[in-house]
Amino acid sequence: MKVTVVGAGAVGATTADNIARKALCEELALLDIKEGIAEGKAQDISQTAALLGFDTRITGSTNDYSKTAGSDVVVITSGLPRKPGMTREELIGVNAGIVKGVAENILQYSPEAIIIVVSNPMDTMTYLALQATGLPKNRIIGMGGALDSARFKYQLSKHLGASPADLNAIVIGGHGDTTMIPLIRYATWNSIPVTSLLSAEAQQQIVADTMVGGATLTKLIGTSAWYAPGAAAASVVQSIVRDEKKLIASCVSLEGAYGQTDICLGVPVIIGKTGWEKIVDYQLNAEEQALFNKSADAVRSMNDVLKTL
Ligand SMILES: NC(=O)c1ccc[n+]([C@@H]2O[C@H](COP(=O)([O-])OP(=O)(O)OC[C@H]3O[C@@H](n4cnc5c(N)ncnc54)[C@H](O)[C@@H]3O)[C@@H](O)[C@H]2O)c1
C-alpha cells in the first residue's frame, strides 16, 4: 500500500505522523509546494520509527508528483487554514485553485487513487474535486464528519464524565460552524441514549459547543487545529487500507440520498477498500431533515461561488 499526503503543513504532517505510527502502509509520500518542508518533515517522522517501532518508508518532495506515483490513497490538505474570525467559506477562492491543480497532478501519476479532501471549505472542495476529476463518486471522500463526530464525543464525554471510547455519536451535514448537525437523538453511551442521561440545557450546550469546536480552537491557537484533524484524516485512511468498513460520517456525492442531489455533503457512509461504499439512512425526523436541507442550501450557495472563479 502507498499513501500520499499533499500539504506538509500542520494537518498534513500530523496526518502523515498518525499514518506512520499505525503502520497503515508500506510507503508514505509527503509533498508540499514550499521548498524543503515535506522533505524535512518526512525525515523528522522517519526518525521516530526507531522509537515507535514502525517500518513505513517515508519520502518528502517539493512539488515532484513523480514521487507520489502508484498511490492507493491520497489525502489533500494543501491550502490556507483559517485565521481567527475567518470562516471556512472565506478560503474558497484560493483553495479552489490549489485543490483543483493538486487533484489533476495526482491523477497523472496515481490514476487509481482514492482521494480524501481535507482542505476547506471542505464540502465545496470535495464537490470541486469530483467535478474537476470526473472520478467515480465513490473515490472522492471529504473529511469533516470524522473530526466533528470526535469533537461531539469529546463534549459528550465532558458532560457525562464518561470515556469518549464508550460513546457513539455522529455529526452530519456541512463541515461549517452553522451547517453541521450533531445528531444528539442518536448519540448513546454504552447503548443508552444520552438524551435520557442529560438535561435539555446540557444537550443544547453540547450541540452548540460541538458546532463551534473548530472556531474555538482557531481563536485560542491563532490558526486552525491539527491534532484531531490529522487523527481524523488518518482514521479514514485506515478504514480504506484495512478495508474496515467502518461507518464514518463523510462528505460524499448525494444523488437523492437524504433528499439531496448535485451536492457533496456529510452523511453516514461505510468506508472500505473501494472508497465510500454505501450511504446509511439514519431516518431523520422532520426537524433534523429541515436542518439538513438548510445546511445543503448553505453549501450549495458556496458551490455557486465556484462558477464565478
Ligand atoms: N476538513 C477538516 O476537518 C479540516 C480540519 C482542519 C484544517 N482543515 C483545512 O486543511 C487545510 C490545511 O490546514 P493546515 O493547518 O495544515 O495549514 P498549513 O498552512 O499549516 O499547511 C498547508 C500547507 O499546504 C501547502 N500548499 C499550499 N499550496 C500548495 C500546493 N499547490 N501544493 C502543495 N502544497 C501546497 C503549504 O505550503 C502549507 O505547507 C486548510 O484549508 C484548513 O482549513 C480542514
Side-chain angles (χ1 to χ4, degrees), residues 29 43 52 69 83 92 121 149 159 197 211 221 238 256 271 276 296:
Q43 268 189 40
L52 301 174
K83 296 292 171 206
I92 195 166
S149 301
H159 279 261
L197 303 171
M211 292 175 76
I221 305 172
Q238 179 171 326
I271 296 195
W276 67 268

Side-chain angles (χ1 to χ4, degrees), residues 24-101:
L24 295 183
C25 53
E26 286 79 39
E27 249 191 287
L28 177 58
L30 200 51
L31 180 145
D32 202 285
I33 203 167
K34 223 185 275 167
E35 188 76 41
I37 180 176
E39 291 87 334
K41 293 200 181 178
Q43 268 189 40
D44 192 9
I45 298 170
S46 297
Q47 288 164 8
T48 68
L51 300 161
L52 301 174
F54 62 81
D55 53 15
T56 301
R57 288 187 305 283
I58 311 168
T59 58
S61 82
T62 304
N63 228 27
D64 178 359
Y65 280 85
S66 69
K67 298 274 168 52
T68 68
S71 292
D72 300 285
V73 183
V74 176
V75 186
I76 301 180
T77 74
S78 46
L80 298 188
R82 282 199 291 177
K83 296 292 171 206
M86 213 176 167
T87 64
R88 292 179 177 94
E89 292 75 21
E90 286 174 86
L91 299 175
I92 195 166
V94 189
N95 287 356
I98 295 174
V99 169
K100 186 166 182 283

Side-chain angles (χ1 to χ4, degrees), residues 274-285:
T274 59
W276 67 268
E277 299 185 343
K278 70 170 180 187
I279 296 172
V280 178
D281 184 2
Y282 264 54
Q283 307 279 323
L284 302 184
N285 64 23

